[in-house]
Amino acid sequence: DFRAGLETLRKEFLDSGPGVSSVGLDDGVEMMAEYKKRLNKLGQQKLELINAQNLFNLDVKPYPLLQDTMIDMEKLNKIYSLYVEFRDFQENMATTMWSELDMAVLTQGAEDFEKKAKRFPKDLKEIYTFKTVEHVLSSFKESLPLVVALKNDAMKTRHWVKIQQLTGVTFDTTLKTLSLGDIFAMNLSNFTADVEE
């Protein structure tokens, strides 16, 4: 039954969907794809019902639950699209070898994402998922001065050993195989004061 399927989808969407605070961003991205499929299917069923209602000159019934869910999904889609774009940027940068890192590219990328987030309309900025994405972007930007500090020639092997102990991330302290991905894995923004020291 179309209406029952719609009610089930709406309830699941509100209780445990991709916009719920307990859902992590990566899980949310996967859930979005699943909900899009389910909404498309319900959209097709709605069209078939409307065609049948028109054929028999019946009143065409509105389906506000479907409309509300589609509006919510559109908002979340904009937010998750920004997150996926950032995640792709970070994954792409992660393959860069530490010795070949161009800080200007990294910094420019962080600033571009910050600008994109600031351009979001106010109603989207109030959504929990947006605030989570915003936090990810700001943590990334806040970690960049620490990356610059680690890039300093004054960094010695003993300093890198301390960084390993501090962050729990192990790597080759000669830095020959160190990539930016290893640096990202350290979650430097969690250790700001200690790293600066």
Side-chain angles (χ1 to χ4, degrees):
D1 178 43
F2 174 72
R3 197 171 289 279
L6 192 50
E7 285 170 5
T8 301
L9 177 101
R10 184 66 181 166
K11 185 175 185 334
E12 285 176 15
F13 182 81
L14 293 175
D15 292 349
S16 56
V20 175
S21 62
S22 57
V23 173
L25 292 174
D26 291 321
D27 289 337
V29 170
E30 288 182 24
M31 289 171 93
M32 284 293 288
E34 189 55 42
Y35 273 95
K36 278 179 193 172
K37 280 184 200 165
R38 289 174 69 185
L39 272 174
N40 283 340
K41 192 176 174 187
L42 284 167
Q44 282 300 114
Q45 289 176 331
K46 178 190 162 188
L47 279 178
E48 287 165 18
L49 279 171
I50 287 172
N51 287 338
Q53 287 162 350
N54 284 332
L55 188 66
F56 296 106
N57 289 326
L58 300 170
D59 288 339
V60 174
K61 293 177 183 171
Y63 298 101
L65 289 183
L66 182 61
Q67 193 60 33
D68 290 348
T69 309
M70 288 172 97
I71 290 167
D72 290 344
M73 277 288 289
E74 188 53 43
K75 288 178 181 177
L76 282 175
N77 193 49
K78 286 176 183 161
I79 297 166
Y80 275 111
S81 293
L82 177 66
Y83 172 68
V84 168
E85 192 184 343
F86 169 73
R87 189 176 68 178
D88 291 347
F89 167 76
Q90 194 175 20
E91 284 172 3
N92 190 34
M93 290 301 298
T95 60
T96 307
M97 295 311 292
W98 182 243
S99 57
E100 295 165 7
L101 173 61
D102 182 348
M103 274 310 298
V105 174
L106 200 56
T107 306
Q108 187 61 54
E111 285 171 4
D112 288 347
F113 281 106
E114 187 179 50
K115 283 177 193 164
K116 284 179 184 180
K118 280 184 178 163
R119 284 198 294 264
F120 268 61
K122 193 177 177 203
D123 63 322
L124 265 64
K125 285 181 178 177
E126 288 166 6
I127 296 171
Y128 181 87
T129 308
F130 178 83
K131 290 176 180 170
T132 309
V133 172
E134 198 174 35
H135 177 71
V136 167
L137 297 178
S138 64
S139 294
F140 181 75
K141 193 177 178 199
E142 283 165 24
S143 72
L144 295 187
L146 297 175
V147 176
V148 171
L150 295 181
K151 200 77 179 111
N152 193 315
D153 291 338
M155 285 288 290
K156 304 288 181 237
T157 302
R158 62 190 161 85
H159 297 133
W160 285 107
V161 170
K162 277 187 183 172
I163 296 281
Q164 275 187 340
Q165 291 166 347
L166 184 68
T167 62
V169 176
T170 54
F171 51 86
D172 171 16
T173 51
T174 67
L175 311 183
K176 283 178 184 155
T177 59
L178 184 67
S179 71
L180 195 52
D182 297 318
I183 301 293
F184 290 157
M186 294 176 192
N187 291 316
L188 292 173
S189 58
N190 295 342
F191 309 99
T192 305
D194 295 311
V195 173
E196 282 172 349
E197 187 186 318

